[in-house]
Amino acid sequence: MRNRNLIHRTVTIFFILWGLGELIAAFLRPPAGSAADSSRIMNAMAAFVSAGLLRLPARFARISFLELTPGLHLFYTAYILLSIFFGSIIGFYSLLPWWDTFLHFLSGVLFSLVG
């Protein structure tokens, strides 16, 4: 997966910048150690983990024969964006009661397409 598409790069940079912004906001806001600070740190960690997860198909392609098609890679990127950013950071899990079921459906579709 040498040539990553522009959308994948943009989402990866977005997650890194979002994580940095959350860290800056957590450490610049007094009082330190409050619940808001810890939630911002958790959001930053989620953003950095999702940026790492976006690199997972490229790493897997180096050690295996499996390489995702551009469409499947775009679907994987959208799934990470929907699950981590919209689900956890924005809070769709608590806002929409069907969000978890929808993501489980999408993960089943993603796994079947990879298979």
Side-chain angles (χ1 to χ4, degrees):
M1 196 149 316
R2 297 183 193 278
N3 296 327
R4 297 183 346 202
N5 57 15
L6 180 63
I7 295 171
H8 178 79
R9 267 192 209 148
T10 304
V11 171
T12 304
I13 291 170
F14 170 75
F15 275 127
I16 291 170
L17 291 177
W18 184 274
L20 289 174
E22 289 284 345
L23 281 178
I24 290 169
F27 289 114
L28 289 182
R29 286 190 171 221
S34 68
D37 289 338
S38 65
S39 77
R40 287 194 180 275
I41 291 173
M42 290 301 291
N43 285 346
M45 287 175 46
F48 292 139
V49 165
S50 58
L53 283 174
L54 288 172
R55 292 290 301 147
L56 193 62
R59 299 286 180 201
F60 188 68
R62 287 184 182 175
I63 62 171
S64 174
F65 62 91
L66 179 66
E67 190 167 328
L68 296 179
T69 62
L72 196 56
H73 198 245
L74 180 65
F75 186 56
Y76 175 74
T77 303
Y79 178 76
I80 296 294
L81 184 68
L82 288 173
S83 63
I84 295 179
F85 181 70
F86 286 108
S88 298
I89 297 176
I90 299 295
F92 276 18
Y93 285 118
S94 59
L95 291 175
L96 305 170
W98 49 268
W99 189 254
D100 190 45
T101 306
F102 173 67
L103 288 177
H104 276 90
F105 172 75
L106 285 182
S107 70
V109 171
L110 183 63
F111 276 121
S112 66
L113 288 174
V114 169

